[in-house]
Every structure is written in structure tokens, then in C-alpha cells.
Amino acid sequence: MMLDINKIREDFTFLRSGRIYLDSTATSLTPEPVLKKVLEYYREYRANVGRGIYNTAQTATSAYENARAEVAKLINAKPEEIIFVRNTTEATNLVANGLKFQEGEKIVTTILEHHSNYIVWLRVKNTKKLELSVVQSDREGHLSPSDFAAHIDRRTKLVAVTHTSNVLGVRPPIKEIVKLAHEQGSLVLVDGAQSVPHTKVDVKELGCDFLAFSGHKMCGPTGVGALYIKEDLQASVEPLCIGGGSIDDVGIDYYRLRGGPNKYEAGTPPIAEAIGMGAAATYLMNIGMDNIEDHERKLTRRMLQGLANIEGISLYGPKDAEKRAGIISFNLKGMNPHDVAVALDTTSGVMVRSGHHCALPLHKHVLNAPNGSVRASVYLYNNYDDVDVFLDTLAEISKTLM
Amino acid sequence: MKTLYDYYRLFPHTDCGYCGSTSCLTMLRRYCLGKSDLNSCIYFKSGELPSPKISYSPPHLKEPPTEKISYIRPCPSEPTKVTIEVNVLPQTHSPYGYFDMITADSIFDRQIPNLKISPSLGIVRIESEAGDVMVFSEGKVIIRRGADEKRAFWEISRAVRLLWATVNRKIRAESAH
Ligand SMILES: Cc1ncc(COP(=O)(O)O)c(C=O)c1O
Ligand code: SF4
């Protein structure tokens, strides 16, 4: 099925100004139906959740729990397996601090990772005296199962790997990695920040133990994200914070935590934001994740073709649109990536990201681009015109300023 | 809202130079400035391509810049160096901003090493040991990799003084009328 892009674009009021937004990897835009749900909570049934007995408090609690179910459905999990957190970063920190690591155990991660799924492991490595093993990729960012097989062993407690690189758009083979890890008795955390918003993710099919993602990258509000923890693991993962809302019983010298997601959601949660994230999940499911992925692939193909014809471009990652998501990083010869981004914005209102995109190890050690890169990324609301204006302007920058 | 590039797409894209501009995009920008005629393009003149109807106003016109230092920060990729953004003057003289990069192109054309002018984009880039400067036609000036704050400001002022020539020329041309 084709997406009705014009209709979708109407939902995103941000686009009415004519600006061209190619930075959805950093954060996505928010459609009206999501905003409406968020405001509805504030306007019509604002109350704390899981506490009051009065009717409105029950309404708020149901809306909050319904949002959990909507988010669960998006990744084919059970609602009890979804924990609302602030963002992907808080989710990885929760796992890093909540797993009971023993001295000498090993964590395996990769050179592709975002700092949020990298420095957290460096920290626990130091505090808990663990070993951290970093799987290297080739120049294009490809990782094969055999690369992991060499690192995962009986001592490996956790494998933390991205589902989609936020720089190169490549997708490591998660299913195979999970199989290798489980054979050795290790757990797998998948950083889904860039996959859940853009493609169909099914935790049952992937088999992973944890999946972290952010609401703000999937058309939801800022300030909320989700961590999937496989149900039977929840007893062995400690919460990051404890307090009101997360206990069954408290005495003068003891407390007993609740089971289920509430254990991890101490204090008043971001209620409106969670409701918004649920609405965003439903918004995406209504459009269809496969349709979104197809649409992005078409735009990516156009972008890659266009970039191939511009002089002086170093493109990072695979040249083939089938092998990557709609995230494209590059440099123009001799130009600072920030200058390229400012020129695109000032002359054509094209917004792209520049810098190291929170992936310094990748830029330094794989891409050999210590100054970072320019990154253009697409989402369901982008169209061919957006890509063309970006390419035309970039071609002109290359021709006149490089 | 239409961007300049929406119109550019209706141009021949040959950059043949027949019209006297260095590229089709320069030609389009000159046309928007009232400095050229669509019929100077061989494709439009011959009717091989339909002449586009153009009504374009540059995005920065909506918010005229004010004179200010926007930021002084360590360079993101080289924290020992400095990056500065300033706006030199509110645009007053032309709908296309303060500095006229088309005039700049004709004055400086390849005469100064490490200076690149894009009349089509309205940007000048100057690279030097002391930092890399970009000047935008509407008056925004950015320096990256500035050796230190003092030298960075000196480089900014050097670039601005250089481009003052284009402002002077424009003022003189206007007062001659
Ligand atoms: C792959 C990846 N992981 C983690 C994050 C961190 O997400 P957040 O800033 O929402 O915590 C990002 C965001 O840029 C990302 O792209
Ligand atoms: S004459 Fe026409 S085709 Fe040739 S450069 Fe000028 S605008 Fe482009």
C-alpha cells in the first residue's frame, strides 16, 4: 500500500512553515492526534495514576495503562513487560545498574553504539570490575554473527547491541546474535531507539531480553521512553529508583517492592507523555510499520542516488538502500560538517544534524572522521521534494563552496 | 511556501553560461534581484522550456537579523579552539541581504586565495590558519576553529571589511539613481 503523504503531512503542523526537516533521527515531529491525546489528559481528566479512588483518578490510571498496552502491542510484548522510563538512555542505565553483575563477568557491545549504549557499560565495567569486549565492524558498519561468536563466551552476562545504527543506518543481525548469546547463557539488550520508530519490531521474533526505545523519536512527546524486560527476568533486575508507587508494603525497618512494571516506576510518572507515547504507537500502527519502512526506503534510494552524483561526497555506510535505514551520514571534502549544515539551513531551510551524533568511537575508529559528519534522515512525513531540495542545495554547496 | 530550489528545478540545469551567469542558479538569484531577464537564457528565449513564473522571497526576510554576537563557544570537535557566530548588521539595502555575493563574485573572482564565493547560495567561505569563516549574505558570520577569541574576532572583521566593498558598491549604485 502507498502512503498518502499529503494527508500525513497535514497532521504535522511543524511542516506548514515550509521548513524541511531531515533530522528525525535526533527527534521526530509530533502529529496532531498525539498532541490532542496529551492535551485531553491535561484538560479533561488530569489526576495522578495508581493512587486515587475517585472516578477521574481511575480514568487517568486506565489511560496510562492503556498507553502501556498500545506500546506493548507495537513491539508484540505483554503490557506487563513494558516499563515507562524517560528515554533510551535511562533504559540502558536501568539495565546497567539493575543487573546483578559478578566481578569478572563480561559485557559485549559494538563499535557502532550511541554513547547511551556505550559509556554506561564502561562505567559498570569499572565499578563492578567487569570485562568489556567491543565488537569491531568493517568500514561500512557491517557486523556478522561470526564477529560476535568470537566475543561471546560463558562469562558473558550481557550483550548490548543497537538494532539500527544512528549514524550508518546499518542493522546488525539481532536474531543470530540472540541465538549465540542464549547458547552461552548471556542476556541481550537491544537499543531500539532507531528501529522501533521505523520498522516492524517483534520482541518474540527477535528473542531479545531487553529492548530500549524513546517516545520522542517515534512521533511521541519528549520525556518518555520504554524498556521492555522479558517477564521472567523482572525478578532479577533491580529498579533504578524506588519510592512511592513501587511498593507493596513498608514498615519502620523494611519495604517490599511490587511486582510488574510498577516496581520500576517509582514516583509520579510522566503521565501525559506516556499517554502521548501510547497514542503515537497507535498512530504508527494505523499507518502500518511496513508502509512506513517502504516509504523511507524509497526516499533513501533517491537520496543515495543523488549523493552519488555530487562531487566531493564521502558517504558512510552501505551504498545500497536495501542494506540500511533512512539515516545517511556523509562529509563534503574539505568542509566542516557544521558549515555544511548551516549552509543548508540558511539557504534552503533544510535541517540536518552535524557533528559526531553521540557516536565518537565510531567516527574516530571506523569512519576516520574525528570532526564528525553531516547526517540527513527521513521519516514518514518526508517526501521526494524534501529530498530534492536537500540534494539540489548540497550540489550547489559542493560546486561553489567546496 | 516555495523555496528558491522549487524554481531552480524549472531551470535547464545545463550551467552553459549563455545568459552571462556562472550557473542556472546564479541566473535565478540574479533574476530575483532584478539583475537579469529570463529571456537571457537561451532555453527560455527559444521557448524550448516554458519560462517559469517566479515569486520568491528569501526566508530570512521574515525575521530581519539584528546586530549581535549569537554565541562564543569551544569548537565541538576541537575544544581548545573557538567558534563564534555574529550578525553584523540588519539587512537594509537589498531584499537579498546585506552583502551582495553576486557583486562580490564579480569583484573578487578567484583573486584571493582560499576565498570561495557562492553567488547562488549567498555565501562566502574563507579558510585561514586562524580559522575558517563563512559569511552569509544577510549578515550572519560564523568562524570555526578560531585559534583564540581575539584572533577569531579579527578574522571575522577581516572578512566583513573585505565584503564591505560589495555594500559600498551597492550604496553608490543606488545613490547614482
Ligand atoms: C541508537 C540510539 N540509542 C540511544 C539514543 C538515545 O536516546 P535518548 O536521547 O532518547 O535517550 C539515541 C538517540 O539519539 C540513538 O540514536
Ligand atoms: S543560459 Fe539558461 S541554461 Fe545556460 S546557464 Fe543560463 S540559465 Fe542556465
Coordinates of all heavy atoms in Angstrom, one line a residue, chain A residues 258-335:
Chain A
R258 N 6.7 -3.9 44.7 CA 5.7 -4.6 44.0 C 6.3 -5.4 42.8 O 7.4 -5.2 42.5 CB 4.7 -3.5 43.3 CG 3.9 -2.9 44.4 CD 3.2 -1.6 43.8 NE 2.1 -2.0 42.9 CZ 1.3 -1.1 42.3 NH1 1.4 0.2 42.6 NH2 0.3 -1.5 41.6
G259 N 5.4 -6.2 42.3 CA 5.9 -7.0 41.1 C 5.4 -6.2 39.8 O 4.7 -5.2 40.0
G260 N 5.9 -6.6 38.7 CA 5.4 -6.0 37.4 C 6.1 -4.6 37.2 O 6.9 -4.2 38.0
P261 N 5.6 -4.0 36.2 CA 6.3 -2.7 35.8 C 6.2 -1.6 36.9 O 7.1 -0.8 36.9 CB 5.4 -2.2 34.6 CG 4.3 -3.1 34.5 CD 4.5 -4.3 35.3
N262 N 5.2 -1.7 37.8 CA 5.1 -0.6 38.8 C 6.4 -0.6 39.7 O 6.8 0.4 40.2 CB 3.9 -0.9 39.7 CG 2.6 -0.8 38.9 OD1 2.0 -1.8 38.7 ND2 2.3 0.4 38.4
K263 N 7.0 -1.7 39.8 CA 8.2 -1.8 40.6 C 9.3 -0.8 40.1 O 10.1 -0.3 40.9 CB 8.8 -3.2 40.5 CG 10.2 -3.5 41.0 CD 10.5 -5.0 41.0 CE 11.9 -5.2 40.3 NZ 12.2 -6.7 40.3
Y264 N 9.3 -0.6 38.8 CA 10.3 0.3 38.2 C 9.9 1.8 38.1 O 10.6 2.6 37.7 CB 10.7 -0.2 36.8 CG 11.3 -1.6 36.9 CD1 10.5 -2.7 36.6 CD2 12.6 -1.8 37.2 CE1 11.0 -4.0 36.6 CE2 13.1 -3.1 37.2 CZ 12.3 -4.2 36.9 OH 12.8 -5.4 37.0
E265 N 8.6 2.0 38.4 CA 8.1 3.3 38.1 C 7.8 4.1 39.4 O 6.6 4.5 39.6 CB 6.8 3.2 37.2 CG 7.2 2.7 35.8 CD 5.9 2.4 35.0 OE1 4.8 2.6 35.4 OE2 6.2 1.9 33.8
A266 N 8.8 4.3 40.2 CA 8.6 5.0 41.4 C 8.3 6.5 41.2 O 8.8 7.1 40.3 CB 9.9 4.9 42.3
G267 N 7.5 7.0 42.1 CA 7.2 8.4 41.9 C 6.1 8.6 40.8 O 5.8 7.7 40.1
T268 N 5.6 9.9 40.7 CA 4.6 10.2 39.7 C 5.3 10.1 38.3 O 6.3 10.8 38.1 CB 4.0 11.6 39.9 OG1 3.4 11.6 41.2 CG2 3.0 11.9 38.9
P269 N 4.8 9.2 37.5 CA 5.4 9.0 36.2 C 5.0 10.2 35.2 O 4.2 11.0 35.6 CB 4.8 7.7 35.7 CG 3.5 7.6 36.3 CD 3.6 8.3 37.7
P270 N 5.7 10.3 34.1 CA 5.3 11.3 33.1 C 3.9 10.9 32.5 O 3.9 10.2 31.4 CB 6.4 11.3 32.1 CG 7.1 10.0 32.2 CD 6.8 9.5 33.6
I271 N 2.8 11.2 33.1 CA 1.5 10.6 32.7 C 1.1 11.0 31.3 O 0.8 10.2 30.4 CB 0.5 11.0 33.7 CG1 0.9 10.5 35.1 CG2 -0.9 10.4 33.4 CD1 0.1 11.1 36.3
A272 N 1.1 12.4 31.1 CA 0.7 12.9 29.8 C 1.6 12.3 28.7 O 1.1 12.0 27.6 CB 0.7 14.4 29.8
E273 N 2.9 12.3 29.0 CA 3.8 11.9 28.0 C 3.6 10.4 27.6 O 3.7 10.0 26.5 CB 5.2 12.1 28.5 CG 5.7 13.6 28.5 CD 5.2 14.3 29.8 OE1 4.4 13.7 30.6 OE2 5.5 15.5 29.9
A274 N 3.4 9.6 28.7 CA 3.1 8.2 28.4 C 1.9 8.0 27.6 O 1.8 7.2 26.6 CB 3.0 7.4 29.7
I275 N 0.8 8.7 27.9 CA -0.4 8.7 27.1 C -0.1 9.1 25.7 O -0.6 8.4 24.7 CB -1.5 9.5 27.8 CG1 -1.9 8.9 29.1 CG2 -2.7 9.7 26.8 CD1 -2.8 9.8 30.0
G276 N 0.7 10.1 25.5 CA 1.1 10.5 24.2 C 1.9 9.4 23.5 O 1.7 9.2 22.3
M277 N 2.8 8.7 24.2 CA 3.6 7.7 23.5 C 2.7 6.5 23.1 O 2.9 6.0 22.0 CB 4.7 7.2 24.5 CG 5.6 6.2 23.9 SD 7.0 5.8 25.0 CE 7.9 4.6 24.0
G278 N 1.7 6.2 23.9 CA 0.7 5.2 23.5 C 0.0 5.6 22.2 O -0.2 4.8 21.3
A279 N -0.4 6.9 22.2 CA -1.1 7.4 21.0 C -0.2 7.4 19.8 O -0.7 7.1 18.7 CB -1.6 8.8 21.3
A280 N 1.1 7.6 20.0 CA 2.0 7.6 18.9 C 2.1 6.2 18.4 O 2.2 6.0 17.2 CB 3.3 8.2 19.3
A281 N 2.2 5.2 19.3 CA 2.3 3.8 18.9 C 1.1 3.5 18.0 O 1.2 2.8 16.9 CB 2.4 2.9 20.1
T282 N -0.1 3.9 18.4 CA -1.3 3.6 17.7 C -1.3 4.3 16.3 O -1.7 3.7 15.3 CB -2.5 3.9 18.5 OG1 -2.5 3.1 19.7 CG2 -3.8 3.7 17.8
Y283 N -0.9 5.6 16.4 CA -0.8 6.3 15.1 C 0.1 5.6 14.1 O -0.3 5.4 12.9 CB -0.2 7.7 15.4 CG -0.1 8.6 14.3 CD1 -1.2 9.4 13.8 CD2 1.1 8.8 13.6 CE1 -1.1 10.3 12.7 CE2 1.2 9.6 12.5 CZ 0.1 10.4 12.1 OH 0.2 11.2 11.0
L284 N 1.3 5.1 14.5 CA 2.2 4.4 13.6 C 1.6 3.1 13.2 O 1.7 2.7 12.0 CB 3.5 4.2 14.3 CG 4.3 5.4 14.7 CD1 5.6 5.0 15.4 CD2 4.7 6.2 13.4
M285 N 0.9 2.4 14.1 CA 0.3 1.1 13.7 C -0.8 1.2 12.7 O -1.0 0.4 11.8 CB -0.1 0.3 15.0 CG 1.0 -0.3 15.8 SD 0.5 -1.3 17.1 CE 0.0 -0.1 18.4
N286 N -1.6 2.3 12.9 CA -2.7 2.6 11.9 C -2.1 2.8 10.5 O -2.7 2.4 9.6 CB -3.5 3.8 12.4 CG -4.4 3.4 13.5 OD1 -4.6 2.2 13.8 ND2 -4.9 4.4 14.2
I287 N -1.0 3.5 10.5 CA -0.4 3.8 9.1 C 0.3 2.5 8.6 O 0.3 2.2 7.4 CB 0.6 4.9 9.2 CG1 -0.2 6.2 9.5 CG2 1.4 5.0 7.9 CD1 0.7 7.4 9.8
G288 N 0.8 1.7 9.6 CA 1.4 0.4 9.2 C 2.9 0.6 9.2 O 3.5 1.3 8.4
M289 N 3.6 -0.2 10.0 CA 5.1 -0.1 10.1 C 5.7 -0.5 8.7 O 6.7 0.1 8.3 CB 5.6 -0.9 11.2 CG 5.3 -0.5 12.6 SD 5.5 1.3 12.9 CE 7.2 1.5 12.8
D290 N 5.1 -1.5 8.0 CA 5.7 -1.9 6.8 C 5.6 -0.8 5.7 O 6.5 -0.5 4.9 CB 4.9 -3.1 6.2 CG 5.3 -4.3 7.1 OD1 6.3 -4.3 7.8 OD2 4.5 -5.3 7.1
N291 N 4.4 0.0 5.8 CA 4.3 1.1 4.8 C 5.3 2.2 5.1 O 5.8 2.8 4.2 CB 2.8 1.7 4.9 CG 1.8 0.7 4.5 OD1 2.1 -0.2 3.6 ND2 0.6 0.7 5.1
I292 N 5.5 2.4 6.4 CA 6.5 3.5 6.8 C 7.8 3.1 6.3 O 8.6 3.9 5.7 CB 6.4 3.7 8.3 CG1 5.1 4.3 8.7 CG2 7.6 4.6 8.7 CD1 4.9 4.4 10.2
E293 N 8.2 1.8 6.5 CA 9.5 1.3 6.1 C 9.7 1.4 4.6 O 10.7 1.9 4.1 CB 9.8 -0.1 6.6 CG 11.2 -0.5 6.4 CD 11.5 -1.9 7.0 OE1 10.6 -2.5 7.5 OE2 12.7 -2.3 6.9
D294 N 8.7 1.0 3.8 CA 8.7 1.1 2.4 C 8.9 2.5 1.9 O 9.8 2.8 1.0 CB 7.4 0.6 1.7 CG 7.3 -0.9 1.7 OD1 8.3 -1.5 2.0 OD2 6.2 -1.4 1.3
H295 N 8.2 3.4 2.5 CA 8.2 4.8 2.1 C 9.7 5.4 2.4 O 10.3 6.0 1.5 CB 7.2 5.6 2.9 CG 7.3 7.1 2.7 ND1 7.0 7.7 1.5 CD2 7.7 8.1 3.5 CE1 7.2 9.0 1.6 NE2 7.6 9.3 2.8
E296 N 10.2 5.1 3.5 CA 11.5 5.6 3.9 C 12.6 5.0 2.9 O 13.5 5.6 2.6 CB 11.9 5.2 5.3 CG 11.1 6.0 6.3 CD 11.4 5.7 7.8 OE1 12.5 5.0 8.0 OE2 10.6 6.0 8.6
R297 N 12.3 3.7 2.5 CA 13.3 3.1 1.6 C 13.3 3.8 0.3 O 14.4 4.0 -0.3 CB 13.0 1.6 1.5 CG 13.8 0.9 0.4 CD 14.3 -0.4 0.8 NE 14.9 -0.5 2.1 CZ 14.5 -1.4 3.0 NH1 13.5 -2.3 2.8 NH2 15.1 -1.4 4.2
K298 N 12.2 4.2 -0.2 CA 12.1 4.9 -1.5 C 12.9 6.2 -1.4 O 13.7 6.6 -2.3 CB 10.7 5.2 -1.8 CG 9.9 4.0 -2.4 CD 8.5 4.4 -2.9 CE 7.6 3.2 -2.8 NZ 6.2 3.6 -2.4
L299 N 12.7 6.9 -0.3 CA 13.3 8.2 -0.1 C 14.9 8.0 0.0 O 15.7 8.8 -0.5 CB 12.8 8.9 1.1 CG 11.3 9.3 1.1 CD1 11.0 10.0 2.5 CD2 11.0 10.3 0.0
T300 N 15.2 6.9 0.7 CA 16.6 6.6 0.9 C 17.3 6.3 -0.4 O 18.4 6.8 -0.7 CB 16.8 5.4 1.9 OG1 16.0 5.7 3.1 CG2 18.2 5.1 2.2
R301 N 16.6 5.6 -1.2 CA 17.1 5.2 -2.5 C 17.4 6.5 -3.3 O 18.5 6.7 -3.9 CB 16.1 4.3 -3.3 CG 16.7 3.2 -4.0 CD 15.6 2.3 -4.6 NE 15.1 1.3 -3.7 CZ 13.9 0.9 -3.6 NH1 12.9 1.5 -4.3 NH2 13.5 0.0 -2.7
R302 N 16.4 7.4 -3.3 CA 16.6 8.6 -4.0 C 17.7 9.4 -3.5 O 18.5 10.0 -4.2 CB 15.3 9.4 -3.9 CG 15.3 10.8 -4.5 CD 14.5 10.8 -5.7 NE 13.7 12.1 -5.9 CZ 12.6 12.1 -6.7 NH1 12.2 11.0 -7.2 NH2 12.0 13.2 -6.9
M303 N 17.9 9.5 -2.2 CA 18.9 10.2 -1.6 C 20.3 9.7 -1.9 O 21.2 10.4 -2.3 CB 18.7 10.2 -0.1 CG 19.3 11.5 0.6 SD 19.0 11.5 2.3 CE 17.6 12.5 2.6
L304 N 20.4 8.3 -1.9 CA 21.7 7.7 -2.2 C 22.1 7.9 -3.6 O 23.2 8.2 -3.9 CB 21.6 6.2 -1.9 CG 21.6 5.8 -0.4 CD1 21.3 4.3 -0.2 CD2 22.9 6.2 0.3
Q305 N 21.1 7.8 -4.5 CA 21.4 8.1 -5.9 C 21.9 9.5 -6.1 O 22.8 9.7 -6.8 CB 20.1 7.9 -6.8 CG 19.9 6.4 -7.1 CD 18.4 6.2 -7.6 OE1 17.6 7.1 -7.7 NE2 18.1 4.9 -7.8
G306 N 21.2 10.4 -5.5 CA 21.5 11.8 -5.6 C 22.9 12.1 -5.1 O 23.7 12.8 -5.7
L307 N 23.2 11.6 -3.9 CA 24.5 11.8 -3.3 C 25.6 11.3 -4.2 O 26.7 11.8 -4.2 CB 24.5 11.2 -1.9 CG 23.7 11.9 -0.8 CD1 23.7 11.1 0.5 CD2 24.3 13.3 -0.6
A308 N 25.4 10.1 -4.8 CA 26.4 9.5 -5.7 C 26.8 10.5 -6.8 O 27.9 10.4 -7.3 CB 25.9 8.2 -6.2
N309 N 25.9 11.4 -7.2 CA 26.3 12.3 -8.3 C 26.8 13.6 -7.9 O 27.1 14.5 -8.7 CB 25.0 12.6 -9.1 CG 24.5 11.3 -9.8 OD1 25.3 10.5 -10.2 ND2 23.2 11.2 -9.9
I310 N 27.0 13.8 -6.6 CA 27.6 15.1 -6.1 C 29.1 14.9 -5.8 O 29.5 14.0 -5.2 CB 26.8 15.5 -4.8 CG1 25.4 15.8 -5.2 CG2 27.5 16.8 -4.3 CD1 24.5 16.2 -4.0
E311 N 29.8 15.8 -6.4 CA 31.3 15.7 -6.3 C 31.7 16.0 -4.8 O 31.2 16.9 -4.2 CB 31.9 16.7 -7.2 CG 33.2 16.2 -7.8 CD 33.9 17.3 -8.6 OE1 33.2 17.8 -9.5 OE2 35.0 17.7 -8.2
G312 N 32.7 15.2 -4.4 CA 33.4 15.5 -3.1 C 32.7 14.9 -1.9 O 33.0 15.2 -0.8
I313 N 31.6 14.1 -2.2 CA 30.9 13.5 -1.0 C 31.6 12.2 -0.6 O 32.0 11.4 -1.4 CB 29.5 13.1 -1.5 CG1 28.6 14.3 -1.8 CG2 28.8 12.2 -0.4 CD1 27.9 14.9 -0.7
S314 N 31.9 12.1 0.7 CA 32.3 10.8 1.2 C 31.0 10.3 2.0 O 30.6 10.8 3.0 CB 33.4 10.8 2.3 OG 34.4 11.7 1.9
L315 N 30.5 9.2 1.5 CA 29.3 8.6 2.1 C 29.7 7.5 3.0 O 30.6 6.7 2.7 CB 28.4 8.1 0.9 CG 27.1 7.4 1.4 CD1 26.1 8.4 1.9 CD2 26.5 6.6 0.3
Y316 N 29.1 7.5 4.2 CA 29.5 6.5 5.2 C 28.4 5.4 5.2 O 27.2 5.7 5.0 CB 29.7 7.1 6.5 CG 30.7 8.1 6.6 CD1 30.4 9.4 6.9 CD2 32.0 7.9 6.2 CE1 31.4 10.4 6.9 CE2 33.0 8.9 6.1 CZ 32.7 10.1 6.5 OH 33.6 11.1 6.5
G317 N 28.8 4.2 5.3 CA 27.8 3.1 5.4 C 27.6 2.5 4.0 O 28.1 3.0 3.0
P318 N 26.7 1.5 3.9 CA 26.4 0.8 2.6 C 25.9 1.8 1.6 O 25.1 2.7 1.9 CB 25.4 -0.2 3.0 CG 25.2 -0.2 4.4 CD 25.9 1.0 5.0
K319 N 26.2 1.5 0.3 CA 25.7 2.4 -0.8 C 24.3 1.9 -1.2 O 23.6 2.5 -2.0 CB 26.6 2.3 -2.0 CG 28.1 2.5 -1.7 CD 28.5 3.9 -1.7 CE 30.0 4.1 -1.3 NZ 30.2 3.9 0.1
D320 N 23.9 0.7 -0.7 CA 22.7 0.1 -1.2 C 21.6 0.3 -0.2 O 21.7 0.0 1.0 CB 23.0 -1.4 -1.3 CG 21.8 -2.2 -1.7 OD1 20.7 -1.7 -1.8 OD2 22.0 -3.5 -1.9
A321 N 20.5 1.0 -0.7 CA 19.4 1.3 0.2 C 18.7 0.1 0.9 O 18.1 0.3 2.0 CB 18.3 2.1 -0.6
E322 N 18.9 -1.1 0.3 CA 18.2 -2.2 0.9 C 19.0 -2.6 2.2 O 18.4 -3.4 3.0 CB 18.3 -3.4 0.0 CG 17.8 -3.1 -1.5 CD 16.4 -2.5 -1.5 OE1 15.5 -3.0 -0.8 OE2 16.3 -1.5 -2.3
K323 N 20.2 -2.2 2.3 CA 21.0 -2.6 3.5 C 21.0 -1.6 4.6 O 21.8 -1.7 5.5 CB 22.5 -2.8 3.0 CG 22.6 -4.0 2.1 CD 24.1 -4.4 2.0 CE 24.3 -5.5 1.0 NZ 25.4 -5.3 0.1
R324 N 20.2 -0.6 4.5 CA 20.2 0.4 5.6 C 18.9 1.1 5.8 O 18.0 1.0 4.9 CB 21.3 1.4 5.3 CG 21.0 2.3 4.0 CD 22.2 3.1 3.6 NE 22.5 4.1 4.6 CZ 23.7 4.7 4.7 NH1 24.6 4.4 3.8 NH2 24.0 5.5 5.6
A325 N 18.8 1.7 6.9 CA 17.6 2.5 7.2 C 17.8 3.9 6.6 O 18.8 4.2 6.1 CB 17.4 2.6 8.7
G326 N 16.8 4.8 6.8 CA 16.8 6.1 6.2 C 17.6 7.1 6.9 O 17.2 8.2 7.2
I327 N 18.8 6.7 7.3 CA 19.8 7.5 8.1 C 21.1 7.6 7.3 O 21.7 6.5 7.0 CB 20.1 6.9 9.4 CG1 18.8 6.8 10.3 CG2 21.1 7.8 10.2 CD1 19.0 6.0 11.5
I328 N 21.4 8.8 6.8 CA 22.6 8.8 5.9 C 23.6 9.9 6.3 O 23.3 11.1 6.4 CB 22.1 9.2 4.4 CG1 21.2 8.0 4.0 CG2 23.2 9.4 3.5 CD1 20.6 8.2 2.6
S329 N 24.8 9.4 6.6 CA 25.8 10.3 7.1 C 26.9 10.5 6.0 O 27.2 9.5 5.3 CB 26.5 9.8 8.4 OG 25.5 9.7 9.4
F330 N 27.4 11.7 5.9 CA 28.4 11.9 4.9 C 29.3 13.1 5.2 O 28.9 13.9 6.2 CB 27.7 12.2 3.5 CG 26.8 13.4 3.5 CD1 27.3 14.6 3.2 CD2 25.5 13.2 3.9 CE1 26.5 15.7 3.2 CE2 24.7 14.3 4.0 CZ 25.1 15.6 3.6
N331 N 30.3 13.4 4.5 CA 31.1 14.6 4.6 C 31.3 15.2 3.2 O 31.3 14.4 2.2 CB 32.4 14.4 5.3 CG 32.3 14.7 6.8 OD1 31.8 15.7 7.1 ND2 32.8 13.8 7.6
L332 N 31.5 16.5 3.1 CA 31.9 17.1 1.8 C 33.4 17.4 2.0 O 33.8 18.0 3.0 CB 31.2 18.4 1.6 CG 30.0 18.4 0.7 CD1 29.5 19.9 0.6 CD2 30.3 17.8 -0.6
K333 N 34.1 17.1 1.0 CA 35.6 17.2 1.1 C 36.0 18.6 1.5 O 35.6 19.6 0.9 CB 36.2 16.9 -0.3 CG 37.7 16.5 -0.2 CD 38.1 15.8 -1.5 CE 38.8 16.9 -2.4 NZ 38.8 16.5 -3.8
G334 N 36.9 18.6 2.6 CA 37.5 19.9 3.0 C 36.5 20.8 3.7 O 36.9 21.9 4.1
M335 N 35.2 20.4 3.9 CA 34.3 21.3 4.6 C 33.9 20.7 6.0 O 33.7 19.5 6.1 CB 33.1 21.5 3.8 CG 33.3 22.6 2.7 SD 31.7 23.0 1.9 CE 31.0 24.2 3.1

